[in-house]
Amino acid sequence: MLLKVASDWLHRTNKLERTWLLAKIEFKLRYYENKLGLFWALLKPVMDIVIYYIAFKIILKSDIPAFASYLFIGLIFWIFFTEGCGGSIQILQTKKYLYEYSNMNKLEIYISTLLSNSIGFFFNTTMFFLFYLFLEPESKPIGINAFYLLPLFFNLFLLSLGIALILSNVYVIAKDITQIWQVFINFLFFLSPIFYKLTVYRQSLPGLDYLNPVAGLIINARRTILENQPPEWQLFYFDFGYAILFFLIGIILLNRLGSKAAEKL
Amino acid sequence: MEKNIALIAKNIGKTFVITEDSHNTVKHRLFNLFNPPRRKKVEALKNVSLDVNKGECIGLIGRNGCGKSTLVKVLAGVYPTDTGYLKINGSTMLMNLGVGMSHELTARENIYVSASVLGLKIKEVDVIFDKIVDFAELKEFVDTKIKYFSSGMVARLGFSIAVNAGADIMFLDEIFAVGDMKFQEKAVKVFESSWIAGKTVILVSHSMFTVERYCKRTAYMKNGELVFFGETSKAVELYKKDNQ
């Protein structure tokens, strides 16, 4: 019964099509407008990896096995998170043309922007697997646990959506949020286990893997792909809890503050 | 709710808070720490109630600054109301000199995005795409970004999308000022043939000729209040009296 109602709704409305159309256009605007084009989307994580590899492997002599792949996973999760949140702070201003002339639901604008980021994530993940399988000298075979990447990505998507909603709606009444977020994200970057060894990270900053919502995602992604183990379940549920909480706060703010975006921005 | 009602508004009110003296620079802010900017409340809409039936063409008249544009934005669901009850039955489109378009996108992309925002599926847009382009007289510029268009070209494109895609409820704010004379004639023709028949239209205009010609019922506003809502001839009479 419920399924029938849902499928009827999907056939009648154009919401899904519209969200995908906006995502595609967003993706095109972001990458095809520049000289490097889509190449840049692929080049960005590779360049980051090279920088951190030199700093941590060559200079600081980190003893993490398969370090380049270890970094790669951490960075593709981190890049999605920062682009999804930071890139969406001014979304209600830049995408004003979509809602100031009609009663379109603003949530669709957010979802389409994050979908466009997901296309980048998909490219990066494909690159990672190619790298890991064919170039990484210390690679192990990828097992069934790698499929946990899907729920982990969904978690990352929901978390980024929630935080993007919060930031962009606060932006309606306080523009300074852009600068504050830049400082905060810099702080969070160094408090996330992107290039640290996990045991060192947990010893030095106990409890932070639970406090930092991105840390658990990165830790679990590595466990499932590089070590072929199921995720740490407690951390897994904790991170889903964060994502749902932020999403709910974001929706409340969208209704309270976002509804005034057309007149305030 | 009755099925043939497109829009119901009961006692809706809207107040804007305006800061009179904003301290934009850090220096200005520091020197005025204990002297916060003065705030003023402007009551743009006071207890407005009206209902619009499906397929009806309603006129909205009043002098400049009486709250017409605010009312239209509230009824279209773009602005939230402060008080009262508002029920919108269907998709809305607000149109003044243009509809929502991004200057970073090409005409083709804008057509797909705007039509999609108005509720059309991609296949439906495919069908009317050529019609939109031909009507806007922009065949050679379909794949040009509209930031390179003249203002007239942008307006024509917006008008053409609105004409051919259309939402369930259309709010038209002084739309007959678009384009050159030839385009205006065409616009009026389309307006008569496709919008008056079948679509719900709220027409904001200073041209009494237009309002009297198309609207059976008209709302007359003054200082944020709906003074009269009913027969067009009476509303026009009141408006003319106010202008004397």
Side-chain angles (χ1 to χ4, degrees):
Chain A
M1 168 73 190
L2 264 178
L3 271 176
K4 193 178 176 302
V5 172
S7 93
D8 273 5
W9 178 82
L10 276 179
H11 279 106
R12 256 185 290 126
T13 169
N14 71 338
K15 276 182 202 279
L16 279 185
E17 255 185 16
R18 174 161 73 197
T19 311
W20 184 236
L21 173 75
L22 291 173
K24 277 193 296 189
I25 288 180
E26 175 78 22
F27 190 79
K28 187 202 140 213
L29 272 182
R30 196 174 308 163
Y31 295 115
Y32 288 79
E33 300 283 296
N34 312 320
K35 291 271 178 297
L36 283 172
L38 189 59
F39 187 57
W40 177 245
L42 305 173
L43 200 65
K44 170 87 171 57
V46 173
M47 281 172 60
D48 285 346
I49 289 163
V50 170
I51 295 167
Y52 298 123
Y53 192 88
I54 294 171
F56 288 87
K57 188 80 181 179
I58 298 176
I59 302 173
L60 292 172
K61 310 275 185 242
S62 164
D63 60 347
I64 300 170
F67 187 62
S69 306
Y70 186 86
L71 269 177
F72 211 145
I73 295 185
L75 282 170
I76 49 181
F77 268 66
W78 181 256
I79 289 172
F80 183 88
F81 177 72
T82 49
E83 284 186 355
C85 302
S88 305
I89 295 182
Q90 298 185 8
I91 195 171
L92 288 176
Q93 188 152 42
T94 51
K95 298 276 186 288
K96 200 175 174 187
Y97 74 96
L98 288 172
Y99 64 84
E100 75 178 331
Y101 294 98
S102 74
N103 56 352
M104 176 185 169
N105 188 347
K106 293 190 185 75
L107 189 61
E108 287 177 42
I109 303 175
Y110 289 88
I111 295 177
S112 64
T113 304
L114 277 175
L115 272 180
S116 127
N117 290 350
S118 305
I119 303 174
F121 183 90
F122 174 76
F123 275 120
N124 287 336
T125 313
T126 312
M127 282 245 299
F128 164 78
F129 279 115
L130 291 175
F131 172 82
Y132 190 68
L133 292 174
F134 299 111
L135 293 173
E136 175 63 78
E138 297 170 80
S139 70
K140 296 177 194 165
I142 289 174
I144 191 91
N145 282 308
F147 280 106
Y148 281 113
L149 187 63
L150 293 173
L152 286 170
F153 173 68
F154 177 69
N155 189 343
L156 178 70
F157 189 94
L158 196 64
L159 177 75
S160 309
L161 178 61
I163 295 178
L165 279 166
I166 294 173
L167 292 173
S168 59
N169 285 295
V170 170
Y171 180 82
V172 174
I173 51 164
K175 308 259 183 313
D176 320 55
I177 192 76
T178 317
Q179 288 88 322
I180 295 170
W181 177 251
Q182 269 170 6
V183 176
F184 180 79
I185 199 77
N186 212 358
F187 194 49
L188 197 68
F189 177 72
F190 286 100
L191 294 182
S192 301
I194 294 167
F195 37 68
Y196 307 125
K197 194 173 182 178
L198 188 57
T199 46
V200 176
Y201 176 78
R202 280 184 158 152
Q203 268 169 17
S204 317
L205 303 163
L208 203 73
D209 44 355
Y210 282 89
L211 274 176
N212 174 349
V214 196
L217 292 172
I218 295 175
I219 292 169
N220 276 333
R222 283 175 181 149
R223 262 177 78 90
T224 53
I225 298 167
L226 300 181
E227 296 165 24
N228 190 20
Q229 285 185 23
E232 287 182 23
W233 290 111
Q234 206 178 336
L235 205 53
F236 185 83
Y237 294 128
F238 223 84
D239 289 335
F240 254 109
Y242 270 126
I244 293 166
L245 178 73
F246 284 127
F247 179 67
L248 291 178
I249 297 173
I251 292 290
I252 293 169
L253 287 179
L254 183 67
N255 288 329
R256 293 266 168 91
L257 304 173
S259 59
K260 294 195 168 172
E263 56 187 280
K264 299 244 181 207
L265 289 175
Chain B
M1 181 187 291
E2 284 181 54
K3 272 191 172 169
N4 60 343
I5 284 192
L7 215 152
I8 293 183
K10 277 186 188 147
N11 299 324
I12 51 170
K14 180 85 194 157
T15 307
F16 291 109
V17 180
I18 295 170
T19 37
E20 278 196 320
D21 179 21
S22 71
H23 308 308
N24 282 325
T25 62
V26 177
K27 183 181 139 202
H28 218 221
R29 272 195 187 186
L30 276 176
F31 283 118
N32 290 285
L33 259 184
F34 301 105
N35 180 20
R38 264 169 297 164
R39 282 163 183 257
K40 203 168 88 177
K41 282 190 174 176
V42 179
E43 265 192 280
L45 294 178
K46 299 168 199 163
N47 274 331
V48 176
S49 301
L50 79 161
D51 57 296
V52 179
N53 298 326
K54 278 189 181 161
E56 203 178 8
C57 181
I58 296 282
L60 183 55
I61 55 175
R63 296 184 61 183
N64 280 336
C66 70
K68 295 187 302 282
S69 291
T70 307
L71 179 63
V72 158
K73 281 183 176 160
V74 168
L75 294 180
V78 176
Y79 284 1
T81 55
D82 290 340
T83 55
Y85 165 86
L86 174 68
K87 172 82 188 165
I88 305 165
N89 247 344
S91 63
T92 64
M93 198 202 82
L94 171 60
M95 186 179 169
N96 29 41
L97 282 180
V99 285
M101 286 192 290
S102 167
H103 284 246
E104 284 306 314
L105 302 180
T106 63
R108 181 190 300 277
E109 287 161 346
N110 267 308
I111 290 173
Y112 276 93
V113 170
S114 296
S116 179
V117 168
L118 294 174
L120 262 63
K121 294 191 166 191
I122 305 283
K123 275 186 187 161
E124 292 169 323
V125 189
D126 288 338
V127 174
I128 57 167
F129 184 83
D130 289 334
K131 226 168 114 187
I132 293 178
V133 176
D134 289 341
F135 187 83
E137 300 163 20
L138 291 169
K139 211 163 191 175
E140 301 100 274
F141 303 102
V142 174
D143 291 307
T144 308
K145 283 191 180 191
I146 66 166
K147 65 179 172 190
Y148 302 117
F149 281 14
S150 72
S151 52
M153 287 159 87
V154 175
R156 270 178 1 226
L157 179 62
F159 195 95
S160 179
I161 294 171
V163 166
N164 291 294
D168 300 331
I169 311 168
M170 315 275 287
F171 296 86
L172 312 175
D173 198 342
E174 292 293 355
I175 50 154
F176 294 111
V178 165
D180 51 24
M181 238 170 78
K182 190 181 147 213
F183 188 77
Q184 278 181 23
E185 274 173 30
K186 227 164 76 170
V188 171
K189 258 186 211 157
V190 169
F191 177 79
E192 287 176 345
S193 64
S194 73
W195 285 355
I196 294 298
K199 287 229 157 64
T200 310
V201 176
I202 285 92
L203 185 69
V204 181
S205 185
H206 285 291
S207 152
M208 292 306 112
F209 171 74
T210 312
V211 173
E212 280 180 318
R213 186 159 166 197
Y214 299 119
C215 309
K216 267 192 187 155
R217 289 200 297 162
T218 295
Y220 163 61
M221 288 186 74
K222 191 177 178 181
N223 299 331
E225 281 176 84
L226 187 65
V227 178
F228 176 81
F229 182 41
E231 217 174 295
T232 300
S233 55
K234 182 133 190 251
V236 171
E237 203 179 296
L238 283 167
Y239 175 70
K240 280 183 178 161
K241 231 185 240 174
D242 190 30
N243 272 292
Q244 275 168 4

